[in-house]
Structures are given as structure tokens and as C-alpha cells.
Amino acid sequence: MRRFLWALLLGLAMALAQKSGGGVGGRPYSPSPPPMSPGPAPVFPTPAPSYPGPVVVYPGGGGGSLGIVPVLVFFGLILVTAYMVRGLQQAGAGPTASVARLRLALLARPQVQRALRRLAEEADTTSAKGLADLVDEAALLLLREEAAWRFGHYQVAAGSEEEALAWFDAWMLEERSKYQETFRHFEGKKQVAEGYQAQVEPGGRYLVVSLLLADHRLLPPRSPLTRSRAREALMDLAGSSPSTLMAAYLSWTPEKEGEALTEEELLLLYPDLDKL
């Protein structure tokens, strides 16, 4: 019965999720090095003929062919020890990366929607510096709109780099499922839905902005979210640098001016929000 209710709520949420939405971000682009052209084959000088010299016989050196065996055993022990130490280090290693998602529901204003679209249009989504600047500018924009905050939610997960990026991809996909994508700027490629018609309805008053970050830093949890913790979370996210950032994504809904989420849509689409 509980699963049925959740499925029903999810179905209602998806039915209501007809508002526009935008997103910008990606992972830093690392181009592969150009192939190296083969150079000319090296020419080695012909060795001068050698003449046999005097044979030196060392006393007590019987079994000369066995002299290599101790060397092989010695190097074998070194390799086994190195693998054991590496395995112990990996087994005892803690998380090396984290991923965080901050959602803020604020009172919608066309000026904020325009600012988000402009930020998404101008962002460099192919470099670590460009993505770090995107996070900084998004955090600054949200801090300036603190008076309009009404609800929020913050999630943090820590693990290996591969796990953090997997969470990032899953959370980004979840964000994109909440709206009709009318604008997207991802890793240098832009997509715009030209034929979308804005759906303005009475009771709409909310704009939801989500900021995702995968980083080599271990970000602290800030839940349950309060207004002061939301400010701290934004400062945590803005503390990312090109040397620590692995991926970033900024999304918002509605994206089209004049549209806004009603309170019913907000609570159905984002049931885990905390009141700020």
C-alpha cells in the first residue's frame, strides 16, 4: 500500500512537472594528447671486435649458473611486500571525494530567471576554472536572494572518486526529470527548445534552484537545513577550486519568465524540502 501511494504521488508529480527548466555545467574537458609521429630509427655504432682476455677463476665459486637464483628470490620478495603494503593502504583508506546537492525554493522573480539564464549562457563548461567560476557566481546569486528563500534541502555523500561521480550523474538526471528542458548548456554544447509555450497559471510563486558539485574535498553535512546552514552550504560549495572540482551542475525551474511553481507542485516534486 505504501509503495502504491508513493507511485501515485510520483505519477502526480510527473504529471505536474510540465514547467520549463534549464541547466548548465558538466565535467572538465581533458583533450587527449595528439598522436606522436614516429621518428627515424636510431642508428647504433658497430661495436669494435673484442678479444678474449685472461680468465679469472675465483676459488669456491662452484655452481655459477645458480648465482641468479638468490637475486630472483630477493626481487620476488620485494614485489610481494609492495603489493601487500598497497593492499593494506587501499583497505584502510577512507573517502577521497564527495558530492553535494543544495536545493533552494525561493519566491520567483523574472530578474532572477534572467540572471540564471545569462549565467548559463556565458559559462565556460569545458574547463575546471570555468565550472568553478560557475559555482561561485551561482552561490553569489543565491546569497543575494536570501530574503526570498522559503524552503531548502541539502545532501552530501562521500566515497571514492568513481562513487562521487556516479552520485553526481544520478542526481543530475533526477533534477532534469523535474521539468521540461527548455535550455541546457552542457560541456560546451547548447540546446534550446524554441517551440515551448510558457504556462502561466494562478497561484504560481516559487522558483527552485539546484546546485550540484562533485569535489575532491570532503564536504560536511548541513542537515536538517536551516537558513544559516544554507548560507554555510553555499560557502562550502563556493570554496571549490579548479584543482579540486570534478563536476558541477546548476539547474532551475521554471526557466521561462512568467512561469512559477504552485505550492502543490513544489511539495509534490520536492517532498523532502525543509522550511527555512
Side-chain angles (χ1 to χ4, degrees), residues 97-114:
S98 63
V99 60
R101 173 171 62 182
L102 176 65
R103 280 179 180 155
L104 287 175
L106 52 153
L107 297 178
R109 292 196 306 126
Q111 295 89 336
V112 178
Q113 290 172 304
R114 284 196 295 267

Side-chain angles (χ1 to χ4, degrees), residues 46-58:
T46 304
S50 58
Y51 300 95
V55 178
V56 180
V57 179
Y58 296 95

Side-chain angles (χ1 to χ4, degrees), residues 150 181 217:
R150 292 298 180 266
E181 204 162 57
R217 299 173 300 147

Side-chain angles (χ1 to χ4, degrees), residues 36 161 176 187 193 232 244:
M36 297 180 62
E161 180 177 333
R176 296 176 63 195
E187 296 181 356
E232 293 171 353
T244 64

Side-chain angles (χ1 to χ4, degrees), residues 213-224:
L213 175 70
D215 203 88
H216 284 293
R217 299 173 300 147
L218 298 182
L219 298 167
R222 304 285 186 187
S223 57

Side-chain angles (χ1 to χ4, degrees), residues 3 6 22 28 36 42 47 71 98 100 121 141 148 214 219-220 223 257 276:
R3 290 184 179 180
W6 274 112
M36 297 180 62
V71 177
S98 63
E121 289 273 9
L141 175 61
L219 298 167
S223 57
E257 291 185 32
L276 301 182

Side-chain angles (χ1 to χ4, degrees), residues 3-237:
R3 290 184 179 180
F4 174 77
L5 290 176
W6 274 112
L8 180 61
L9 288 174
L10 183 60
L12 289 172
M14 292 300 102
L16 290 171
Q18 299 300 315
K19 297 295 192 298
S20 59
V24 55
R27 303 185 188 185
Y29 174 66
S30 300
S32 56
M36 297 180 62
S37 58
V43 178
F44 300 99
T46 304
S50 58
Y51 300 95
V55 178
V56 180
V57 179
Y58 296 95
S65 61
L66 296 179
I68 193 65
V69 175
V71 177
L72 292 176
V73 172
F74 176 73
F75 281 107
L77 289 174
I78 291 178
L79 289 175
V80 171
T81 304
Y83 278 115
M84 290 179 63
V85 171
R86 182 180 178 184
L88 290 174
Q89 288 177 344
Q90 291 179 345
T96 58
S98 63
V99 60
R101 173 171 62 182
L102 176 65
R103 280 179 180 155
L104 287 175
L106 52 153
L107 297 178
R109 292 196 306 126
Q111 295 89 336
V112 178
Q113 290 172 304
R114 284 196 295 267
L116 288 167
R117 176 63 179 264
R118 184 168 56 251
L119 178 60
E121 289 273 9
E122 298 174 355
D124 175 11
T125 59
T126 61
S127 69
K129 183 182 185 307
L131 291 170
D133 291 342
L134 171 66
V135 174
D136 290 346
E137 293 300 320
L140 178 60
L141 175 61
L142 290 171
L143 285 169
R144 287 174 173 169
E145 292 295 318
E146 181 179 351
W149 297 353
R150 292 298 180 266
F151 302 92
H153 185 67
Y154 190 57
Q155 289 176 273
V156 176
S160 66
E161 180 177 333
E162 292 77 12
E163 290 171 333
L165 289 175
W167 277 314
F168 175 87
D169 290 339
W171 289 357
M172 179 175 61
L173 184 64
E174 183 183 4
E175 293 300 321
R176 296 176 63 195
S177 71
K178 303 290 186 181
Y179 49 75
Q180 293 190 39
E181 204 162 57
T182 51
F183 177 83
R184 190 168 192 245
H185 182 188
F186 189 75
E187 296 181 356
K189 297 180 181 179
K190 295 181 182 179
Q191 298 174 341
V192 181
E194 299 290 354
Y196 180 87
Q197 298 295 324
Q199 302 180 29
V200 182
E201 58 185 280
R205 59 191 300 233
Y206 294 106
L207 169 71
V208 176
V209 182
S210 298
L211 188 57
L212 280 72
L213 175 70
D215 203 88
H216 284 293
R217 299 173 300 147
L218 298 182
L219 298 167
R222 304 285 186 187
S223 57
L225 196 66
T226 61
R227 190 169 289 266
S228 61
R229 287 174 180 170
R231 287 194 299 268
E232 293 171 353
L234 283 170
M235 299 304 293
D236 290 340
L237 298 175

